[in-house]
Amino acid sequence: MAVSLTDARSAQLYRRALEYLPGGVNSPVRAMRAIGRDPLFIDRGLGSEIIDVDGNRYVDWVMSWGPLIHGHAHPEVLAAVVAAAERGTTFGAPTRGEIALAEEVCTRVPSVEMLRMTSSGTEATMSALRLARAATGRDKVLKFAGAYHGHVDGLLADAGSGLATQAIPASPGVPEAATRATVIVPWNDPEALCAATAEHELAAIIAEPFPANMGVVPSNDGFLELLRDRADQNGALLIFDEVISGFRVASGGAQELCAVLPDLTILGKILGGGLPAAAFGGSDALMERVAPAGDVYQAGTLSGNPLAVAAGRKALALLDDITYPRLAATTDALAQGVLAAADGGPVQVASVPGLVTVFFSERPVRNFADATACDLDAYAAWCRALLARGVYAPASQFEAWFVSLAHDERDLEWTLEAATAAFTEVW
């Protein structure tokens, strides 16, 4: 497979961007520094492909990090956005579309009876934690090492090894006071979880039921059930961060598949159909604590924006009982194909429907410590080799590949041929 790619225009734009944007980008992973190269600037996308400013075409397995489950520029989603825009882009007042989207979410997601929309997953997480603290009268929150729940100060913390570890700030500008109420334990470690919940009175336990922010790291058998049990025993609320897994792994998200119901759910990405939108939701009793129904304040000028609502409604309407088996089949074909392409090399491929991660590791990855022990240099070299062959993969070992309904047999064939050739370069 011969591909001739140039990036002269991307390089020129990057030099300009460095003058006006920190690091030349508006979100760190876009800089591609983790794989040892400068970023590509994208001109347009269609279906399963993106085209950069130099005219290079790539099979896209990033899909804007998850929102585009139907692929780029889906005509029905675009039509819905255009129709909404023609009526006005924002009103700062209620619209009928917000009710319809909320009804659809509550119908699909088992634990959600009522929700509040925001413009980002970070806002939704911050608001869900505020609600949990108000409902319990407690301050401490338990999270898992390697879990990312947006750049909320209190959750932007690293952890040590072993059992429950008090958090320390992971970024300058995050005061110690902000993370003092955060308790961190390793994912898939029942002993550490039990020890932490025995020691601390918690407002909430927050987790991705299908973690995808340290790479895809599924829970061990019984671990999600243990989360529910320990939250109940502790008096804490269980919060599922389904920003990534919501509407992707199943119509009702991960909680539909695992049959473990949280008290609060955080949603995003697919919810906005490619436009900025997120939400948090739960039971009527909990959500009616949120202002103006209750005393827990939360607000946002662009929350429930008509364009995002229109895109989200159409994106959800296009997801039915037929689409999920097809998405799962494509995911399996990609995961098994990459593993076969590695030809026995030190590679682990983890997947759940719609999500894949390729770990350069000799053993299965079960937690963040395992993920950080992977050969990051090998992944970077492999990822660069994929790009050179027209395959756009996540520029980080700790991110998921996002499978879409736009990916087809041709995309799989091209990707797996590129993966095979790229492995030969790494080894």
Side-chain angles (χ1 to χ4, degrees):
M1 177 174 57
V3 181
S4 178
L5 303 178
T6 62
D7 60 3
R9 292 180 180 175
S10 276
Q12 182 182 30
L13 287 172
Y14 185 47
R15 288 192 295 271
R16 285 178 54 196
L18 287 169
E19 297 182 32
Y20 302 105
L21 303 171
V25 294
N26 276 312
S27 191
V29 73
R30 300 178 192 177
M32 292 189 168
R33 291 181 180 178
I35 63 168
R37 61 154 295 145
D38 292 339
L40 296 173
F41 281 70
I42 306 306
D43 181 64
R44 62 194 185 279
L46 182 63
S48 62
E49 292 188 338
I50 51 174
I51 301 93
D52 69 19
V53 293
D54 289 281
N56 303 310
R57 305 180 76 93
Y58 305 86
V59 178
D60 182 16
W61 295 103
V62 175
M63 287 290 160
S64 191
W65 306 102
L68 303 179
I69 196 167
H70 301 293
H72 293 277
H74 190 284
E76 293 188 50
V77 175
L78 290 183
V81 173
V82 170
E86 288 174 345
R87 294 192 296 271
T89 59
T90 182
F91 307 110
T95 64
R96 285 177 294 181
E98 295 170 77
I99 305 171
L101 180 57
E103 287 177 338
E104 182 67 20
V105 172
C106 292
T107 298
R108 288 175 179 256
V109 183
S111 68
V112 175
E113 298 175 342
M114 183 179 291
L115 62 86
R116 167 61 60 85
M117 291 196 70
T118 66
S119 294
S120 72
T122 294
E123 288 179 75
T125 300
M126 177 183 71
S127 303
L129 292 181
R130 181 179 298 160
L131 177 56
R133 285 171 168 143
T136 61
R138 300 172 177 180
D139 293 334
K140 290 185 178 181
V141 172
L142 185 148
K143 63 161 284 191
F144 293 92
Y148 177 74
H149 304 290
H151 55 276
V152 180
D153 277 359
L155 300 182
L156 205 60
D158 281 335
S161 60
L163 298 181
T165 304
Q166 289 296 126
I168 60 173
S171 171
V174 177
E176 289 189 13
T179 59
R180 196 170 295 141
T182 305
V183 179
I184 301 179
V185 299
W187 181 247
N188 277 328
D189 189 331
E191 291 78 14
L193 174 64
C194 290
T197 52
E199 180 179 353
H200 302 280
E201 288 191 344
L202 301 169
I205 297 172
I206 184 169
E208 287 183 284
F210 292 174
N213 277 302
M214 60 183 97
V216 176
V217 183
S219 62
N220 291 340
D221 289 346
F223 192 68
L224 295 180
E225 289 80 0
L226 182 62
L227 290 186
R228 180 69 271 174
D229 178 71
R230 294 312 300 166
D232 291 340
Q233 293 296 321
N234 187 277
L237 299 189
L238 179 60
I239 302 176
F240 274 179
D241 178 349
E242 294 224 48
V243 168
I244 289 177
S245 59
F247 316 115
R248 170 167 289 277
V249 301
S251 178
Q255 59 195 262
E256 176 186 321
L257 297 183
C258 70
V260 175
L261 300 186
D263 299 295
L264 291 171
T265 299
I266 303 165
L267 298 165
K269 296 193 184 287
I270 292 171
L271 179 69
L275 276 69
F280 64 102
S283 67
D284 290 339
L286 274 175
M287 294 304 297
E288 286 182 344
R289 288 290 306 269
V290 178
D295 56 352
V296 179
Y297 191 74
Q298 190 281 332
T301 298
L302 294 177
S303 298
N305 174 271
L307 306 189
V309 165
R313 288 178 63 192
K314 181 55 67 175
L316 292 183
L318 293 168
L319 293 171
D320 55 30
D321 293 340
I322 297 174
T323 55
Y324 286 104
R326 183 156 61 90
L327 187 69
T330 305
T331 304
D332 289 343
L334 176 64
Q336 295 303 317
V338 171
L339 189 61
D343 194 26
V347 166
Q348 308 292 322
V349 181
S351 68
V352 295
L355 297 166
V356 172
T357 295
V358 183
F359 291 109
F360 278 70
S361 171
E362 293 184 352
R363 62 178 187 175
V365 173
R366 286 301 184 191
N367 53 44
F368 188 50
D370 290 345
T372 56
C374 290
D375 189 339
L376 305 185
D377 291 337
Y379 179 84
W382 187 66
C383 196
R384 292 193 302 271
L386 289 177
L387 279 173
R389 291 168 171 83
V391 174
Y392 193 82
S396 169
Q397 173 76 92
F398 305 111
E399 299 285 354
W401 296 44
F402 290 91
V403 182
S404 83
L405 293 161
H407 289 109
D408 59 19
E409 290 293 334
R410 175 185 171 277
D411 298 318
L412 286 168
E413 182 179 348
W414 183 274
T415 298
L416 297 178
E417 186 177 346
T420 301
F423 278 127
T424 64
E425 287 192 18
V426 174
W427 296 318

